[in-house]
């Protein structure tokens, strides 16, 4: 039994798909399948039900998943303990970034880390915030920049980058353009243009609408603030973005605070408590880059 077999087994279990697991561990699907078959022969039982497109754990697979994760964690702790003594930072870190994010300090922090510790391989991927939180908890992501509403995810270390309200953006000359603010109830029946689910802005908007007993009509969605604003400037609906995003479009749109939103839209760095010195150093670099 080899550690890489356990790594492949965990990847397939978490992705529920051999192809996605192969992409994650960066080898061919046939290689993943062969290694897991070998592991199954050594254990004397099948770990996955392969009768459908979804790779489901058998009862034996469910029993094996916890010990497999513990074995990999123990091996990682061994390496980290030696690295701490030797003053080395090496290995691989996987960083997650919420879809539609173009936060320059994140990239600056990654650059700073890479310049100092080029022996660590960095990978960066975009995903929805909810999915990334699950991945951080599972250990397949080391650090993630996520959007949330109200508070940080339970059970994870976190660093708040931004906490702000929402704004409604309408074209100059719109019936609302002379107002000083908008209430959530005003959005009832309006065609709204905003970010997709999985972003902090959308989570905050959905929660505010639910609290006001308003069912939002999401007409159009886009993963970038520029696209949301462009669609709104063409009269296709009213845009909802965060306060800081809204300041960039004053030439074409009027930004009005959405003034009865209880919770703030959050941009957070999250990571699991870890003995990995590379994670600690990366978080420190990101703190510096964000000026925290």
């Amino acid at each position: 039994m080899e550690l890489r077999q356990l790594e492949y087994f965990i990847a397939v279990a978490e992705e529920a798909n051999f192809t996605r697991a192969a992409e994650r561990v960066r080898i061919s699907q046939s290689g993943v399948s062969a290694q897991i078959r070998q592991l199954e022969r050594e254990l004397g039982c099948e770990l996955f039900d392969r009768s459908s497109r979804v790779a489901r754990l058998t009862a034996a697979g469910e029993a094996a998943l916890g010990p497999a994760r513990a074995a990999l964690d123990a091996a990682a702790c061994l390496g980290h303990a030696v690295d701490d003594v030797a003053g080395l930072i090496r290995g691989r870190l996987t960083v997650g970034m919420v879809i539609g994010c173009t936060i320059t300090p994140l990239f600056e922090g990654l650059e700073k880390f890479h310049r100092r510790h080029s022996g660590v391989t960095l990978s960066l991927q975009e995903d929805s915030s909810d999915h990334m939180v699950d991945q951080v908890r599972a250990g397949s992501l080391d650090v993630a920049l996520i959007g949330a509403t109200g508070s940080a995810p339970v059970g994870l270390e976190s660093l708040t980058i931004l906490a702000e309200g929402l704004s409604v953006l309408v074209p100059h000359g719109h019936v609302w353009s002379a107002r000083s603010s908008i209430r959530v109830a005003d959005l009832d029946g309006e065609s709204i243009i905003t970010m997709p689910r999985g972003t902090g802005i959308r989570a905050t908007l959905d929660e505010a609408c639910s609290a006001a007993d308003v069912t939002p009509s999401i007409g159009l969605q886009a993963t970038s603030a520029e696209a949301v604003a462009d669609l709104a400037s063409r009269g296709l609906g009213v845009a909802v973005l965060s306060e800081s995003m809204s300041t960039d479009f004053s030439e074409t749109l009027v930004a009005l605070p959405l003034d009865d939103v209880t919770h703030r839209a959050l941009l957070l760095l999250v990571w699991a408590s870890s003995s990995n010195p590379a994670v600690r150093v990366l978080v420190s670099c990101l703190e510096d880059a964000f000026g925290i």
Side-chain angles (χ1 to χ4, degrees):
M1 186 183 305
E2 299 179 6
L3 288 175
R4 63 173 178 168
Q5 293 172 338
L6 300 182
E7 179 187 0
Y8 301 164
F9 163 58
I10 292 169
V12 175
E14 291 177 351
E15 299 293 340
N17 182 277
F18 279 84
T19 301
R20 290 197 299 270
E23 293 172 352
R24 172 169 146 182
V25 298
R26 292 179 170 79
I27 69 167
S28 67
Q29 180 179 336
S30 61
V32 169
S33 297
Q35 289 297 322
I36 290 179
R37 284 293 191 193
Q38 183 176 337
L39 178 61
E40 289 174 325
R41 285 195 293 270
E42 291 184 29
L43 295 174
C45 57
E46 290 193 345
L47 300 173
F48 293 100
D49 178 354
R50 298 171 172 84
S51 62
S52 67
R53 292 184 177 181
V54 177
R56 301 184 186 280
L57 287 168
T58 62
E62 292 279 4
L65 186 57
R69 285 174 171 155
L72 285 188
D73 287 344
C77 286
L78 174 63
H80 299 157
V82 173
D83 286 349
D84 272 346
V85 171
L88 299 175
I89 300 292
R90 61 187 178 186
R92 175 185 296 276
L93 290 179
T94 304
V95 180
M97 178 176 70
V98 65
I99 51 176
C101 173
T102 53
I103 304 296
T104 301
L106 173 67
F107 307 143
E108 292 172 346
L110 295 177
E111 178 189 12
K112 181 176 183 179
F113 178 86
H114 176 68
R115 289 182 182 277
R116 292 182 177 180
H117 305 289
S118 58
V120 178
T121 301
L122 289 172
S123 61
L124 180 66
Q125 62 190 52
E126 283 188 304
D127 209 331
S128 69
S129 296
D130 291 346
H131 190 204
M132 287 193 294
V133 168
D134 290 340
Q135 289 178 304
V136 172
R137 289 188 172 126
S140 55
L141 274 182
D142 295 294
V143 180
L145 184 68
I146 68 163
T149 184
S151 60
V154 175
L156 296 178
E157 302 288 335
S158 65
L159 182 69
T160 300
I161 307 301
L162 286 174
E164 56 184 344
L166 301 181
S167 292
V168 174
L169 294 92
V170 297
H172 293 280
H174 187 277
V175 66
W176 289 351
S177 61
R179 294 178 58 170
S180 59
S181 66
I182 298 294
R183 298 185 62 82
V184 175
D186 294 329
L187 299 178
D188 201 13
E190 292 290 329
S191 181
I192 299 170
I193 307 167
T194 191
M195 299 282 194
R197 294 189 187 277
T199 59
I201 291 169
R202 180 62 178 274
T204 304
L205 174 63
D206 286 349
E207 184 176 273
C209 287
S210 177
D213 198 25
V214 169
T215 302
S217 174
I218 308 298
L220 298 168
Q221 301 177 85
T223 58
S224 76
E226 290 77 10
V228 170
D230 191 8
L231 291 166
S233 70
R234 299 172 188 275
L236 296 171
V238 299
V240 177
L241 292 171
S242 69
E243 290 174 344
S244 61
M245 289 178 173
S246 302
T247 61
D248 296 332
F249 310 108
S250 58
E251 291 187 7
T252 55
L253 296 168
V254 177
L256 306 167
L258 196 55
D259 65 6
D260 56 340
V261 176
T262 303
H263 291 131
R264 311 291 278 176
L266 304 178
L267 187 67
L268 304 165
L269 280 173
V270 297
W271 65 96
S273 297
S274 174
S275 61
N276 186 345
V279 171
R280 297 196 298 270
V281 173
L282 175 58
V283 170
S284 177
C285 289
L286 292 171
E287 285 178 334
D288 290 345
F290 280 105
I292 298 173

